[in-house]
Every structure is written in C-alpha cells, then in structure tokens.
Amino acid sequence: TKKDFLPFFVQIENNSNFPIRVPRQSFEFRDSLGNEWKQTDSFEISQKYHRSAALEGYFAFPVRTLVFWNAFKWNEKIDTDFKNKQLRNQVQLSPEESSRGFVYFAAPKNIDYENSSILDGKLTFSVYEEEREITYTANLSKQKIAAKWTKFKNSEPALC
C-alpha cells in the first residue's frame, strides 16, 4: 500500500572548511523494536501512486486512447516528482554549501508500521571528509531530521 514506506527529509549543510561527501546509500533506519527498514528508491515508491489504464478496454477507440494517455502522463509526472525530491545518490558539498531531499525506507514485512511508537528509532548515515569516514546516529521521535556539519575546537564534526 501507499503507507508501506517512511520518508525522511534530510538537510545537509557543510559548515566545515573541507569538502564533504554523503552517499545516500549510507543512510540506515532502525525502528524502536530493532527492525531494520531497507532503503528504497523513489521509483519504487512512485509506483504505488501510478494510475492504471486497465479501464481502456471498456471504451471506444478515441476515449480509450485518452484514458491510456492520461494514465501514462500522470505516471510520468509522479515518477519525476518523487525522483526530483529524493536526496541525490552522492551528495558532494564544498564548504558553506547545502543539499536536501528525501530518503525513503520500505516498511519491514509483518510489523505494525502504523504504530507511531515504532517510528521512534535511529537514523544512521556516513559523512566522508577527505579520507576520513564519520558515522552519525540520530535518535528520532519525528519523521524529519536536519543534519548540520559543524566544526568544534577539537576538529571533530557534530550533529546538531
């Protein structure tokens, strides 16, 4: 169903003095029960909103073509919309740059994903600065997260 996924809106800001890289595939979500939600692509999500042209067989030629064409254009528009809103595959940011977008996760099978307490969990992702990998874990109680890359006196970045 359409509710079988969880979108996270992610905003990444590079407030350091070095370029950073954040691969979208590095994001992982584990709910409060310990279930791992698999990251999914925008196309898989947009498929759930596609219109079917199956009714076209009930109509005469001109109407059948119009029904098919409308479904095709709608589906194309939905696919493009989800893709444009998704976080890029490889976010590369120079100092003072930012990027944002959605990361989508598919609900594990056989769980009550509509139970709001299950959505409290941990979102983990990696940031690469030069040759160094830094992994962040954010404890979540909402479906939004804003990641800010900040340098402190000890030169270690922190999630704010």
Side-chain angles (χ1 to χ4, degrees), residues 70 80 94:
N70 284 340
T80 301
S94 297

Side-chain angles (χ1 to χ4, degrees), residues 33-49:
L33 300 178
N35 297 306
E36 183 178 343
W37 293 49
K38 298 288 184 195
Q39 192 179 132
T40 188
D41 190 76
S42 64
F43 185 71
E44 186 175 329
I45 302 301
S46 68
Q47 295 290 301
K48 297 175 186 297
Y49 292 88

Side-chain angles (χ1 to χ4, degrees), residues 22-157:
V22 182
R24 189 178 69 228
Q25 290 307 112
S26 75
F27 284 84
E28 297 175 358
F29 177 67
R30 200 171 284 279
D31 64 33
S32 62
L33 300 178
N35 297 306
E36 183 178 343
W37 293 49
K38 298 288 184 195
Q39 192 179 132
T40 188
D41 190 76
S42 64
F43 185 71
E44 186 175 329
I45 302 301
S46 68
Q47 295 290 301
K48 297 175 186 297
Y49 292 88
H50 276 196
R51 290 183 180 166
S52 173
L55 293 176
E56 70 180 68
Y58 294 107
F59 299 106
F61 173 71
V63 174
R64 177 176 32 209
T65 303
L66 181 61
V67 169
F68 176 77
W69 182 251
N70 284 340
F72 172 78
K73 292 308 275 179
W74 168 263
N75 296 344
E76 188 177 65
K77 182 178 177 182
I78 289 294
D79 292 344
T80 301
D81 186 52
F82 272 88
K83 183 178 180 181
N84 288 342
K85 291 178 180 172
Q86 180 172 266
L87 190 68
R88 294 189 316 254
N89 284 335
Q90 192 73 252
V91 176
Q92 296 187 16
L93 300 174
S94 297
E96 304 303 319
E97 287 185 334
S98 65
S99 183
R100 63 185 178 182
F102 285 94
V103 179
Y104 304 105
F105 291 90
K109 303 293 182 210
N110 303 321
I111 67 162
D112 179 13
Y113 57 86
E114 292 183 357
N115 177 351
S116 62
S117 66
I118 210 170
L119 299 180
D120 295 342
K122 295 178 187 250
L123 183 69
T124 305
F125 60 97
S126 296
V127 176
Y128 296 87
E129 179 186 83
E130 297 175 337
E131 298 300 317
R132 185 169 68 151
E133 176 185 4
I134 301 155
T135 302
Y136 290 104
T137 300
N139 293 314
L140 304 176
S141 59
K142 298 180 180 179
Q143 295 180 14
K144 288 185 177 181
I145 182 172
K148 290 191 177 183
W149 184 264
T150 307
K151 288 287 188 174
F152 288 102
K153 293 179 183 177
N154 63 3
S155 297
E156 285 299 315

